[in-house]
Amino acid sequence: MPPAAQSATERGARTRARILDATAAVLNANGYAGTRLSEIASVARLQTPAIYYYFSSRDEVIEAVVAAGHQSVIDHVAGALADMTGASNLEKILAAVEAHLTFVLTESQYASASIRNLGHLPAEMRTRQLSQRRAYGQMWKDLFEAGQQAGEFDPEVDIADARMLILGALNWAPEWWDPSRGALGAIVAEAKRFVRKGLSA
């Protein structure tokens, strides 16, 4: 590729990334209904029509952020579990709790925007995201089922209900947590204590 063409391609990629970054920030601040292309453009330091060079519509750029955000959660939690060979399934669940919370609360605007806005997206957009959601849910389901089979959990615990309650609580955290409520480490420790005591045999 000629240097000029390569430079233009790199500039285009940087501009596209700025638009996505800005969209994640606006989604977190305003929600799906309140996200406007004009505000995205302002945060990205662009003119609004420039966005249409990269995305055909407001919903297309929002969906790109939602998809990237959820995939980043999957990758981050899977990475946290990758080096836990030999750990109990309960310890793996606790590591997943910590990885999920830390990531969505402090490390990724995309992940937070994805989680906070999923229920407000148009039905057809939510449907297109289902394969990612199922993949992440399966990761957790496998951990819970393995823990149950290994006898690590209280036999009276319904693991399907427990899994959904835990994931629901983790996904709700971006709606209410801020640093003024307490340090991130304290919130993570409390979540892990809650899960450990709730599941342990």
Side-chain angles (χ1 to χ4, degrees):
M1 182 182 296
Q6 184 176 8
S7 177
T9 299
E10 291 172 351
R11 286 197 303 272
R14 288 195 297 270
T15 301
R16 189 178 191 278
R18 278 166 51 199
I19 293 169
L20 292 171
D21 289 349
T23 303
V26 176
L27 270 174
N28 273 304
N30 298 348
Y32 171 79
T35 294
R36 301 284 181 267
L37 282 179
S38 57
E39 188 167 358
I40 292 170
S42 176
V43 173
R45 304 183 308 282
L46 296 168
Q47 296 296 316
T48 301
I51 295 176
Y52 288 105
Y53 183 80
Y54 300 92
F55 300 95
S56 64
S57 67
R58 164 184 174 270
D59 275 1
E60 185 180 353
V61 67
I62 288 174
E63 186 166 0
V65 167
V66 169
H70 199 67
Q71 188 61 50
S72 70
V73 177
I74 295 173
D75 293 343
H76 186 76
V77 174
L81 296 174
D83 297 326
M84 296 193 70
T85 303
S88 71
N89 294 287
L90 179 57
E91 290 302 325
K92 291 177 182 179
I93 289 171
L94 296 175
V97 166
E98 180 171 357
H100 182 110
L101 268 184
T102 301
F103 194 67
V104 303
L105 292 181
T106 64
E107 296 184 27
S108 176
Q109 287 248 34
Y110 285 67
S112 178
S114 175
I115 288 169
R116 296 177 72 181
N117 288 282
L118 178 64
H120 304 287
L121 302 177
E124 65 274 14
M125 193 184 298
R126 290 200 307 274
T127 299
R128 287 193 293 270
Q129 302 302 312
L130 278 180
S131 61
Q132 280 184 318
R133 309 283 162 176
R134 288 179 179 136
Y136 192 52
Q138 189 65 49
M139 184 188 304
W140 286 82
K141 183 179 179 182
D142 290 345
L143 290 173
F144 274 78
E145 290 182 347
Q148 184 184 52
Q149 291 167 9
E152 297 175 30
F153 302 154
D154 182 338
E156 294 187 3
V157 171
D158 183 306
I159 61 167
D161 289 348
R163 174 170 51 87
M164 296 305 293
L165 285 166
I166 290 167
L167 281 172
L170 295 177
N171 286 334
W172 183 248
E175 294 290 345
W176 60 263
W177 183 81
D178 64 68
S180 68
R181 297 183 66 98
L184 175 66
I187 297 298
V188 170
E190 184 65 20
K192 292 170 71 174
R193 186 186 69 82
F194 174 81
V195 172
R196 183 188 295 276
K197 287 185 176 293
L199 292 178
S200 294

